[in-house]
């Protein structure tokens, strides 16, 4: 991940978490999300079954703040973001989520809140999922 052409975060095998914070989200929501990310079994075992968690593979996490996940384009042609958390709340919960990830995973990298970021990834496998709690 780059900001202004400079690499600010990168990981090896693991997850890219695009984190959207909504108006109703709390620290409890962030805690539940971090626990869910840790426990999801999305990596293949020796029989190629998706039985392993990120912890099982000693994986890494890259967290990107992504308010645009709350885009509502049902009306008109310009998305509304009224359901996205206010910037102060979003930043607080983003930073809290980072702390939770740092305590749960071998490596946690991240972008810069509110900055224009260039994110590159290799999606190695069938999973791109949206988690809502």
């Amino acid at each position: 991940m780059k900001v202004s052409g400079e690499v600010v975060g990168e990981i090896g095998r693991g997850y890219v978490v695009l984190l959207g914070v909504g108006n109703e989200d709390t620290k409890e929501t962030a805690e539940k999300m971090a626990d869910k990310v840790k426990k999801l079994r999305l990596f293949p075992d020796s029989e190629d079954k998706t039985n392993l968690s990120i912890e099982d593979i000693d994986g890494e996490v890259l967290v990107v703040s992504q308010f645009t996940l709350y885009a509502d384009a049902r009306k008109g042609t310009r998305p509304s973001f009224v359901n996205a958390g206010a910037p102060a709340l979003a930043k607080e919960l983003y930073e809290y989520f980072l702390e939770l990830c740092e305590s749960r995973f071998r490596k946690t990298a991240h972008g810069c809140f509110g900055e224009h970021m260039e994110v590159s990834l290799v999606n190695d496998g069938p999973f791109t999922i949206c988690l809502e709690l």
Side-chain angles (χ1 to χ4, degrees), residues 96-114:
Y96 184 62
F97 185 78
L98 288 176
E99 289 174 22
L100 295 169
C101 288
E102 288 168 352
S103 71
R104 285 166 171 76
F105 305 110
R106 182 174 66 81
K107 177 181 178 182
T108 299
H110 58 86
C112 301
F113 185 89

Side-chain angles (χ1 to χ4, degrees), residues 1 17 42 44 62 73 90 101 103 109 116:
M1 175 181 334
V17 176
L42 301 178
L62 175 65
C101 288
S103 71
H116 180 91

Side-chain angles (χ1 to χ4, degrees), residues 66-110:
Q66 193 72 44
F67 79 94
T68 59
L69 292 170
Y70 278 89
D72 183 350
R74 290 177 288 180
K75 295 181 181 177
T77 56
R78 185 174 182 183
S80 168
F81 296 98
V82 297
N83 293 320
L89 172 67
K91 184 173 183 178
E92 176 187 350
L93 291 180
Y94 169 74
E95 290 175 354
Y96 184 62
F97 185 78
L98 288 176
E99 289 174 22
L100 295 169
C101 288
E102 288 168 352
S103 71
R104 285 166 171 76
F105 305 110
R106 182 174 66 81
K107 177 181 178 182
T108 299
H110 58 86

